[in-house]
Amino acid sequence: MGFNAPSKIQETALPALLAEPPINMIAQSQSGTGKTAAFVLTMLSRVDVTKSYPQCLCLAPTYELALQIGQVIKKMAYYMDNLTIGYAVRGKRMGRSVVQDHVIIGTPGTVLHWIQRHNLCSMDKIRVFVLDEADVLISIQGYKDQSTRIKRHLSGDCQMLLFSATYDDQVMDFAFRLIPDPVTIRLRREEESLDNIQQFYVRCHSLQDKYSAICNIYGSISVGQSVIFCKKRRTAAWLVEQMVKDSHAVALLTGELSIEERADVINRFREGKEKVLITTNVSARGIDVVTVTVVVNFDLPVSMDMTADCETYLHRIGRAGRFGKRGLAVNLVDSQQSMDVLWAIQEHFGRTIENLDTDDLDAVQKIDN
């Protein structure tokens, strides 16, 4: 698979994760550093393929992330004959009256539905329980309740693992109540913002200004693939229309698409059939495409109260610069409010986000493709 040496999180976490008796863990690691491989190896080390019932359960907040985790498992389990993976996601048809797959990956609502309504999964034999992007699964009320209810169905000796790039204090407090006696791996605040990603902002005065800035970036620097984040589906659709007119190979991914349509968009982008993915926050997590070198925040991420959403910002820019490669994040700022959001993000991470003149891109260093 191309792993020549363990990443920092793998080197730190794996000895504890694979130890006997199993150890619970709450782990924080930057995007693109190999945390998925760490918990996948843990799950696979606990599976007995001769027993036809679920032994590992992994929860993820989105279908795209669940699918991506499944792809990693397939690669890493290449030599594990007869290992099967089940997907508990909205719209997925249940092929059996009882689930017999060794590993179940799903979103919390569907997993709970399988357990409570259909009695499809026997949870008392689950050996490893993983929450990926645990901050979302804990901080969003619906997910939090569902994840907690699922946990109650597990046996007392089940190994519990929480992984994410970001945790705030409230999430950590709840995580400690959810998981008994965990080993904890945390990043310092200044370590959260990725050093390998150059971060800039561009002052704009209108929607058309923003589009002109994007055109200048694409016309002046070498871009492998890129992801552009918009706040609203309407803005994303408008941007797709403009870029298609200018002969760009563009894909659109929003939450209103069906599961099948979303899977098709992701696969086409992963295969390089489209160079630009225009999306909403549905792709802030779980799009792991090594050839993505540029992330553009067409709209800066904000919370419901319109303040800076620093966690989402970190996950967005983490789509570029996977596994230590160089990347570029460009933030388009079109008002005093969005400027205030940018300053808040800058202060939160303690990193300078530089002003960029898109007519003069000498400040942008060469990006690895």
Side-chain angles (χ1 to χ4, degrees):
M1 289 179 65
F3 289 100
N4 297 309
S7 66
K8 185 177 179 181
I9 184 63
Q10 292 164 353
E11 186 175 21
T12 305
L14 275 169
L17 291 172
L18 301 177
E20 292 289 356
I23 293 170
N24 297 332
M25 181 175 289
I26 299 171
Q28 180 184 18
S29 179
Q30 297 162 331
S31 296
T33 55
K35 59 183 184 295
T36 304
F39 68 71
V40 165
L41 284 170
T42 308
M43 289 194 293
L44 294 180
S45 75
R46 309 290 185 199
V47 168
D48 182 347
V49 294
T50 66
K51 298 175 180 177
S52 298
Y53 53 78
Q55 297 164 53
C56 298
L57 173 62
C58 179
L59 299 185
T62 65
Y63 167 80
E64 285 78 15
L65 184 53
L67 186 65
Q68 183 170 288
I69 293 167
Q71 290 168 341
V72 174
I73 293 173
K74 284 179 182 177
K75 286 183 182 179
M76 303 200 100
Y78 183 81
Y79 294 104
M80 293 181 71
D81 294 337
N82 304 318
L83 181 96
T84 59
I85 304 167
Y87 293 92
V89 294
R90 178 174 52 85
K92 185 76 172 177
R93 292 183 179 179
M94 295 169 288
R96 306 186 182 96
S97 58
V98 177
V99 175
Q100 297 176 319
D101 298 297
H102 302 105
V103 180
I104 304 296
I105 314 163
T107 50
T110 304
V111 169
L112 196 60
H113 186 72
W114 281 21
I115 296 169
Q116 294 184 331
R117 298 285 180 88
H118 299 284
N119 198 29
L120 289 176
C121 296
S122 176
M123 292 288 103
D124 59 333
K125 295 178 181 177
I126 294 289
R127 299 192 64 196
V128 183
F129 177 53
V130 178
L131 272 69
D132 192 19
E133 305 297 355
D135 58 321
V136 173
L137 296 177
I138 290 174
S139 63
I140 295 177
Q141 191 60 45
Y143 283 153
K144 180 178 179 179
D145 293 343
Q146 291 162 352
S147 300
T148 304
R149 286 157 71 188
I150 291 167
K151 189 255 183 183
R152 290 184 189 134
H153 288 270
L154 302 173
S155 66
D157 59 354
C158 175
Q159 184 177 17
M160 294 187 226
L161 313 175
L162 272 65
F163 278 80
S164 187
T166 52
Y167 291 100
D168 62 24
D169 291 339
Q170 279 186 315
V171 169
M172 284 301 297
D173 288 344
F174 183 81
F176 282 121
R177 293 198 300 273
L178 186 70
I179 294 189
D181 303 318
V183 169
T184 305
I185 300 172
R186 293 291 304 272
L187 293 173
R188 293 188 296 272
R189 176 66 58 78
E190 61 271 20
E191 291 178 317
E192 291 181 2
S193 189
L194 303 169
D195 287 333
N196 56 311
I197 298 176
Q198 299 178 77
Q199 299 174 56
F200 295 98
Y201 73 92
V202 179
R203 288 186 180 272
C204 305
H205 302 289
S206 65
L207 203 63
Q208 194 60 48
D209 255 9
K210 287 184 170 183
Y211 182 63
S212 297
I214 288 175
C215 291
N216 287 346
I217 291 166
Y218 281 91
S220 303
I221 63 173
S222 174
V223 177
Q225 286 180 279
S226 61
V227 182
I228 303 176
F229 287 99
C230 300
K231 181 183 177 184
K232 298 178 180 177
R233 296 171 184 170
R234 185 173 65 247
T235 306
W238 175 85
L239 186 55
V240 168
E241 184 180 343
Q242 300 304 307
M243 295 197 76
V244 168
K245 284 180 183 176
D246 286 343
S247 303
H248 290 281
V250 176
L252 174 64
L253 181 63
T254 63
E256 64 189 355
L257 298 178
S258 69
I259 291 292
E260 292 77 14
E261 289 170 330
R262 286 160 70 172
D264 183 58
V265 169
I266 292 296
N267 288 334
R268 288 180 60 85
F269 184 65
R270 199 179 300 280
E271 292 166 6
K273 293 177 180 176
E274 281 89 24
K275 297 298 184 184
V276 182
L277 180 66
I278 298 174
T279 184
T280 53
N281 271 344
V282 72
S283 303
R285 302 165 187 251
I287 302 298
D288 186 4
V289 179
V290 177
T291 49
V292 170
T293 55
V294 176
V295 168
V296 177
N297 284 315
F298 198 83
D299 302 299
L300 284 165
V302 293
S303 304
M304 294 294 289
D305 60 1
M306 300 307 290
T307 57
D309 185 346
C310 299
E311 283 72 25
T312 296
Y313 177 83
L314 183 63
H315 283 284
R316 282 185 180 185
I317 70 170
R319 299 311 98 205
R322 308 299 285 177
F323 287 95
K325 290 190 173 184
R326 299 196 68 82
L328 173 66
V330 179
N331 303 287
L332 306 183
V333 177
D334 62 353
S335 66
Q336 186 56 51
Q337 182 186 38
S338 57
M339 198 73 236
D340 291 342
V341 168
L342 186 83
W343 295 146
I345 290 170
Q346 183 173 263
E347 183 177 353
H348 178 86
F349 292 114
R351 300 292 175 93
T352 300
I353 303 174
E354 298 178 22
N355 188 14
L356 180 66
D357 180 357
T358 56
D359 291 323
D360 180 11
L361 294 173
D362 289 342
V364 178
Q365 298 172 25
K366 186 178 183 297
I367 302 170
D368 298 330
N369 288 311

